[in-house]
Amino acid sequence: MLLVAATTDSPTDPGLAYAHLSNPVSGPALVLDGPTLRRQRWHGPNGGRPKEAVPGVFLVPLWACHADESTGEAVFFVTVEWRPDAIVLAAFHRTTVSADASADLTAWACRIADERAAANFPLPRPGHRSGQGPEAEEKITLTVPANPAAVARLLRDHLPPTGVPVSGPTIHRRILRSDIYLPPGTGRREYAALTPRSDGTWWAKAKVLKDGQLHKTIRPAATHDEALAQVAEVLGHPRLIHAGLLQRATWDLPSPADTDGHWSTVTVDTTTLAPHPGTLQQVEIEYGACFTAAPVTATASQIRQSVAQTADTVAAVLTAHHIPHARNGQSKIEHFLAAGDADARR
């Protein structure tokens, strides 16, 4: 039996629906095509009457659990690609169905998926990208809760093509959990994020200020301690302060390239930072690469201008579809820590 949890691609309907499929499952990947998904009878988390199908609304799987009744083994899958004709999921966890799960398999599977789901991989970056220079990105904060899958679909469908297409209309999905560390002091623009990889190694990311601009470094590390030592060296502080556990669920797509060949990664990001309360939703526009050798010679201001133009286009799409938003440069870490300061002053 295959249990599938899905959201819709409607901006105002972020809820989950569930379906039981009889699809045979073998191997580390699972592909669910559109016709198969549309034929299912979808239910709420507590069963009951099937949800009515809404014309023009597509169900987008987020995760699935295949339970083998003969062996008692359960394999969990998480969505990694949303293609126009299908959803691709990758296996991320194997376990044994607990004895008490038979009464409510959906509730048991939801708990496992919430605790374990992860899909952390490098996004494809066709073209050329300079390894030097300040970070070039813009952030748009969604000021009213929205269905992130629907926002990603709107951007995929409505970002106007200008130059050479970057890739097909595939939306990538990632779920990342990172330990966040800060250097001592009051500054919050500089920070480090240590993110585990599926093979047991780590990504060590640090953002450091140079001449008033942020520069990002990402390096692999064999262990958590090695990753922490790497970012401490980059930030110039031997003892960093643990600020919390950052969880990000993202939908990522490449923007159309501009007439000079520059393109950006557009990320619809839903973030929490435990133990701080609240959820932050943003659309990040980060410089991706270029189809010419321009990044080798392009100035930082030219690259920032390309990112800003893409951000203008993204904001226009959000406005046209009545999704409230605000342009700001505040990072996720600054947002959550500033909110914590405000709570402490009350």
Side-chain angles (χ1 to χ4, degrees), residues 24-201:
V25 176
S26 62
L30 174 65
V31 179
L32 299 175
D33 60 73
T36 297
L37 295 170
R38 283 189 287 270
R39 286 196 301 267
Q40 303 312 310
R41 294 167 63 86
W42 296 90
H43 298 262
N46 299 316
R49 296 181 59 184
K51 288 195 169 187
E52 295 286 338
V54 179
V57 174
F58 181 71
L59 272 296
V60 185
L62 300 180
W63 57 265
C65 171
H66 180 253
D68 190 321
E69 296 178 0
S70 62
T71 64
E73 183 185 54
V75 181
F76 284 81
F77 298 81
V78 64
T79 295
V80 293
E81 288 185 3
W82 178 7
R83 301 173 182 171
D85 58 346
I87 302 289
V88 180
L89 301 94
F92 69 89
H93 183 62
R94 293 177 182 269
T95 188
T96 301
V97 178
S98 65
D100 61 348
S102 57
D104 193 344
L105 182 66
T106 299
W108 173 81
C110 286
R111 288 195 300 270
I112 299 295
D114 288 343
E115 294 170 0
R116 300 278 185 171
N120 180 21
F121 53 87
L123 297 174
R125 292 189 184 274
H128 307 274
R129 178 183 170 101
S130 173
Q132 305 297 322
E135 185 177 51
E137 68 175 21
E138 291 217 11
K139 300 178 189 295
I140 299 174
T141 297
L142 305 185
T143 54
V144 172
N147 181 353
V151 175
R153 191 261 302 164
L154 287 173
L155 294 174
R156 179 188 67 186
D157 294 347
H158 294 284
L159 286 178
T162 50
V164 179
V166 173
S167 63
T170 294
I171 300 174
H172 298 271
R173 179 160 170 79
R174 295 179 297 158
I175 301 175
L176 304 93
R177 292 180 172 90
S178 304
D179 283 313
I180 301 299
Y181 290 87
L182 300 174
T186 58
R188 287 160 176 179
R189 295 187 65 193
E190 295 185 310
Y191 69 90
L194 309 189
T195 307
R197 303 168 72 182
S198 59
D199 61 1
T201 62

Side-chain angles (χ1 to χ4, degrees), residues 263-341:
W263 63 272
S264 297
T265 299
V266 179
T267 297
V268 182
D269 196 325
T270 302
T271 304
T272 60
L273 179 65
H276 301 272
T279 299
L280 176 65
Q281 288 188 301
Q282 290 182 318
V283 182
E284 291 186 349
I285 301 92
E286 181 183 8
Y287 184 72
C290 187
F291 286 114
T292 70
V296 178
T297 57
T299 65
S301 62
Q302 289 172 322
I303 290 175
R304 285 198 300 272
Q305 181 180 5
S306 174
V307 172
Q309 289 173 344
T310 300
D312 290 341
T313 305
V314 169
V317 172
L318 297 176
T319 299
H321 290 87
H322 311 291
I323 298 176
H325 59 278
R327 298 278 289 268
N328 61 51
Q330 190 178 52
S331 75
K332 300 173 186 61
I333 310 305
E334 290 176 297
H335 168 86
F336 285 108
L337 296 183
D341 290 345

Side-chain angles (χ1 to χ4, degrees), residues 205-229:
K205 179 175 80 171
K207 291 193 176 184
V208 60
L209 280 169
K210 295 180 180 177
D211 301 323
Q213 293 183 306
L214 279 175
H215 292 246
K216 179 169 65 176
T217 65
I218 302 179
R219 292 190 291 178
T223 65
H224 182 280
D225 288 347
E226 180 182 328
L228 186 57

